Amino acid sequence: MNAKEATVSRTVESTIEPVVSVRGVSCTLGGRKVLDDVSLDVARGQVVVIIGPSGAGKTTLLRSLNHLEEVDSGQILISGVPIGHRDLTSTKRVGTSELARRRREIGFVFQHFNLFPHMTAAENVWNAPVRVLGTPKDEARRDALALLTRVGLADKAQSRPSRLSGGQQQRVAIARALAMRPKVMLFDEPTSALDVEMVGEVLAVMRELASEHMTMVVVTHEVRFARDVADRIVVMDAGRIIEDAPPAQLFANPRHDRTKAFLSTLN
Amino acid sequence: MHFDWEFFWKALFTPSDPFVDGLILTIVISVVAMVLATVVGLVVALMRRSRFTGLRWLAGIYVWVIRGTPLLVQLVLIYTGLAAVGLYQFHDVSLFGMSVRAAVQAAIIGLMINESAYIAEIIRAGMDSVPKGQFEAAASLGMKPAKVMRWIIVPQSLRVMVPPLGNSFNGMMKTTSVLSVIGVSEMFLVTQSISSATFHTFEIFIVAAIYYLALTTIWTFIQAWIENRLARQLGVDQRVPITQRLLGARRAEPALQQA
């Protein structure tokens, strides 16, 4: 196969290939098996919400998608590229530079925002494009302002995170992740650390993202959000995926007893 | 009491050339040793955080040995000891048109090694003060480790590191008096020789004390300026009154927190 053919076949492949592909992943943390042979595919433009009782492995699974958590076995592919290994067939760990490069395509939103406290909201957003991608500063600044406008925080561009409410901080964090133009956005309980009255504003931004066909994987306890926005809901329990179905089907007719038990605790 | 006021005022306000040279040498050695110690300390601190076990061990042993032995012993080992066993003999060299005495070289290296072990611990503590979430957020944006350090971790940890680093330098300026042992003609040794030549021991050592006090006081002001500037850059309100700095008062260091 010559180079041109290779490019063509890769392009074709990428259109049918899932953005996120988890294959038989297991992970042990502190002697406990947190993920037990988990497999999951997320197609382009899909919104997958992961729910389940605490300790089920939701957050670990999400963090392993951009290698914040290292798995023991199995494979995690982002757009067909294994996140933690050198290539598809290799079992060798990826180097730090290459890992950094691969992470640029994956946006991550943390439960506790993790904004950079020494930077303004705008700087939080434009910093990575400038330092990592080499985007010219004025261009990155313009993009940052546009992103902050999009999450409704144009007027807070020059504020430090310490001057922002939790909901505002989380919206800046989403803008920061979007600034890298990721292929997929991962949300780790993005509203769990927020006061009730601020949950709505963050979910609204996420709803909008979903409506623009951003590929999203969301760990959350917000059932209404899951029901409205998710294409699929994945239920985890004790490190395993026990159910994976569209919301309508899942809520109307949960197949697994544990799913029923878990759903009943939410209402 | 026989306190020769005339001698005292003269020594204080019109110090002899050797005394001024000694003062300058004290300052120069302190500054050079501090800068070098910070560089070495940074390397050792990074080694202690390395993912290679061997490097971590090596750095740990370095800190353990250097902090656990007296500077005086280290100095004599470096200057006299190395020469005695025929390993290394310091020679006067010419650097940028200035002659640097053998003892001064040994002094700078000794102070550098000694101080670097303490500074390594200051830097390590500074980096440890930055929450893990900051590393993760930076990593998730695709930053390589060097950039994570440069743009995210160092700016935040500086605020924690600068006060103890400044105090280190303050201590360093006073510690240079130990260098008299290997014959570095810094302020203490000069004072001593003036003392033995004039027998005005009390007067001349009071003068020396005043000059040391002036050095450390000036540095306290500079340090205050640096800290306030840094605090402003990081957008935190923190002012320590200068009287509190000089006269000493407990101050709680508010942890650098997000949110």
Side-chain angles (χ1 to χ4, degrees), chain B residues 214-234:
Chain B
L215 284 184
T216 54
T217 305
I218 291 168
W219 172 251
T220 305
F221 278 93
I222 297 173
Q223 190 183 335
W225 178 79
I226 295 173
E227 282 176 30
N228 285 332
R229 209 183 114 105
L230 206 61
R232 226 179 14 255
Q233 272 175 1
L234 297 182

Side-chain angles (χ1 to χ4, degrees), chain A residues 30-43:
Chain A
R32 210 170 63 89
K33 196 146 201 181
V34 200
L35 295 179
D36 186 3
D37 193 22
V38 171
S39 293
L40 175 74
D41 278 355
V42 180

